[in-house]
Amino acid sequence: MTARLDPESGPGGPDSLIPLARPVIGEREEELVLEVLRSGQLSLGPMAPAFEQAFAARVGARHGSAVSSGTAGLHLALRAIGVTDGDEVITTPFSFVASSNVAIYERARPVFADIDPVTLNIDPDAAAAAVSPRTTAILPVHVFGYPAEMAALEKLGLPIVEDACEALGGVYADGGVIGGRGHQAVFAFYANKQMTTGEGGMVVSSDSAHKQQIDSERNQGRAPNMDWLDHDRLGFNYRLSDLACALGLAQLERLDSLLDGRARVAALYREALSEIEGLTLPCEDAGLARRGWFVFVVQLPRGTDKEQTMRALGAQGIPAKPYFPAIHLMSYYQEKFGHRAGDFPVCEDVSERSIALPFFPQMTEGQVDRVASALTSVLARGPLASRA
Ligand SMILES: *Cc1c(COP(=O)(O)O)cnc(C)c1O
């Protein structure tokens, strides 16, 4: 296995640096990718359907469509349920920006609903209050891998697209595997996710009409049974190459160990950080719900200066990132939709205090301890780390 440095690893010498995220790539990945390279068929070959079937089976879905990114998958999933001009899509402002951008791609409006302060997922009551005659879809995000409250959202009776891009390996409150609920659910395979294809995504569903439309639209609007360069609808190039699908197949083979590794590191963090006063850790699993561990995000004690805290950690070779900034307060969203501070107070409070710590399956206990003691000492400085 080749050691590689993550471009996001932050300052510090090579010995002192802990990357923010780091994929696990081994001989099996090299073997399958090499097989594709030697086959000469680098795209639209046999690896894509093999990856789709294996992935769908893993999450208990009938169909899978491999696409070029999680964002592309969310876009095509919204198109498949017919979201269009002037529609409203209810979603969360506490997410990676892609989950609301995809509505805008179709000239629909992302309508935000505030979040639950414990799970950090969309609050079903707020979602219900946001429904209007123009609402055509709900797009919940399983934030940081913790399952959204699906049963309550389903009661609203609207089509649902699940953003499961952070939630591979998670389990819903009723015990079902995330992705197997029958809605379209979208996963992502950027290099920091639970498994990676470099860039990539997968839409799973139970509806073969959705699968057909997505397979056509990711390939320039060409139905599988059509001749080359024959197109019967508007499409995109959202294909995932066979090289990437080969990588995905190899990652899928080792997914259990990747997930176990993340859960192990999360448990170490929980233990090491439990004594810091005022620090909020990721919520514990409740009932049958299980988090599919993706990131380890903590909410700093109130009054702490987040920027200074991240700088102080960075100076010790520990990268930390603000995660997530509230989407409605991004300049583009403020200008386009007239949002302002105070619109979604729970989201804003959480987002002001949240930072992601280094987190990856092969993180050692020593590395976790280094992050934990650095954070402990930075926060103990009190006045320096607090707003003047
Ligand atoms: C990673 C992620 C996506 C998709 O990201 P891509 O980079 O397009 O693969 C979408 N939503 C959330 C919440 C994510 O974390």
Side-chain angles (χ1 to χ4, degrees):
M1 197 180 301
T2 322
R4 58 190 285 285
L5 294 179
D6 190 286
E8 288 189 279
S9 28
D15 293 330
S16 66
L17 159 165
I18 300 177
L20 191 59
R22 192 180 156 162
V24 180
I25 302 293
E27 281 175 15
R28 184 62 176 153
E29 282 78 2
E30 293 177 3
E31 184 187 354
L32 286 184
V33 170
L34 197 58
E35 196 181 297
V36 175
L37 279 174
R38 289 182 173 154
S39 78
Q41 178 145 30
L42 306 192
S43 198
L44 291 170
M47 285 293 182
F51 180 40
E52 290 171 343
Q53 281 154 27
F55 189 90
R58 168 76 202 212
V59 300
R62 200 170 308 153
H63 306 293
S65 296
V67 288
S68 53
S69 69
T71 308
L74 290 165
H75 183 197
L76 294 186
L78 284 188
R79 285 178 60 90
I81 56 175
V83 169
T84 186
D85 231 331
D87 286 355
E88 294 179 355
V89 176
I90 295 174
T91 189
T92 170
F94 189 66
S95 175
F96 179 57
V97 70
S99 55
S100 57
N101 279 351
V102 290
I104 304 174
Y105 294 171
E106 291 302 320
R107 299 161 313 283
R109 182 189 172 108
V111 171
F112 296 119
D114 210 347
I115 60 169
D116 180 282
V118 174
T119 66
L120 311 185
N121 283 319
I122 193 167
D123 175 344
D125 292 334
V131 174
S132 89
R134 288 171 176 259
T135 310
T136 41
I138 304 183
L139 197 157
V141 180
H142 305 300
V143 171
F144 307 152
Y146 197 76
E149 266 190 74
M150 296 309 296
L153 294 171
E154 284 160 355
K155 286 208 183 100
L156 301 177
L158 288 155
I160 291 179
V161 170
E162 296 173 52
D163 181 338
C165 290
E166 306 196 340
L168 182 55
V171 172
Y172 302 111
D174 67 1
V177 173
I178 290 186
R181 211 173 172 82
H183 309 297
Q184 296 184 92
V186 182
F187 294 85
F189 309 127
Y190 179 67
N192 68 344
K193 308 281 180 178
Q194 283 92 334
M195 57 167 274
T196 186
T197 60
E199 298 278 1
M202 184 77 75
V203 187
V204 300
S205 68
S206 59
D207 184 332
S208 55
H210 289 159
K211 157 95 176 147
Q212 264 174 24
Q213 183 170 341
I214 288 171
D215 287 0
S216 164
E217 290 189 352
R218 74 178 166 188
N219 190 24
Q220 311 285 11
R222 193 166 95 222
N225 60 352
M226 289 172 90
D227 282 343
W228 203 37
L229 301 188
D230 193 1
H231 308 270
D232 63 355
R233 64 166 87 226
L234 178 68
F236 305 83
N237 179 356
Y238 283 168
R239 294 187 304 267
L240 191 62
S241 76
D242 265 40
L243 289 166
C245 290
L247 191 46
L249 270 172
Q251 291 271 283
L252 206 48
E253 286 176 12
R254 67 164 87 236
L255 182 59
D256 286 329
S257 88
L258 295 175
L259 295 173
D260 288 350
R262 285 183 188 266
R264 175 188 62 85
V265 174
L268 290 172
Y269 262 130
R270 208 182 270 295
E271 169 93 35
L273 296 174
S274 62
E275 300 294 307
I276 303 183
E277 207 178 311
L279 188 76
T280 307
L281 301 181
C283 74
E284 304 252 17
D285 292 341
L288 296 178
R290 291 286 170 273
R291 188 187 295 274
W293 280 99
F294 166 56
V295 280
F296 201 89
V297 172
V298 296
Q299 295 165 48
L300 298 175
R302 276 172 217 287
T304 307
D305 187 317
K306 187 172 70 176
E307 297 300 324
Q308 270 194 39
T309 304
M310 290 188 298
R311 262 200 307 278
L313 290 173
Q316 300 189 42
I318 295 165
K321 290 261 157 57
Y323 204 75
F324 295 113
I327 295 174
H328 66 286
L329 297 182
M330 291 178 182
S331 55
Y332 174 69
Y333 277 83
Q334 288 206 35
E335 282 159 28
K336 189 170 171 67
F337 300 109
H339 289 301
R340 58 191 59 206
D343 281 359
F344 304 102
V346 182
C347 165
E348 290 166 31
D349 173 56
V350 170
S351 122
E352 269 163 26
R353 295 186 293 123
S354 292
I355 60 171
L357 301 175
F359 189 68
F360 48 95
Q362 293 182 329
M363 202 169 170
T364 64
E365 191 165 354
Q367 288 175 315
V368 171
D369 287 344
R370 243 189 74 202
V371 175
S373 60
L375 185 60
T376 306
S377 69
V378 168
L379 292 176
R381 280 183 224 162
L384 186 80
S386 293
R387 282 204 189 94

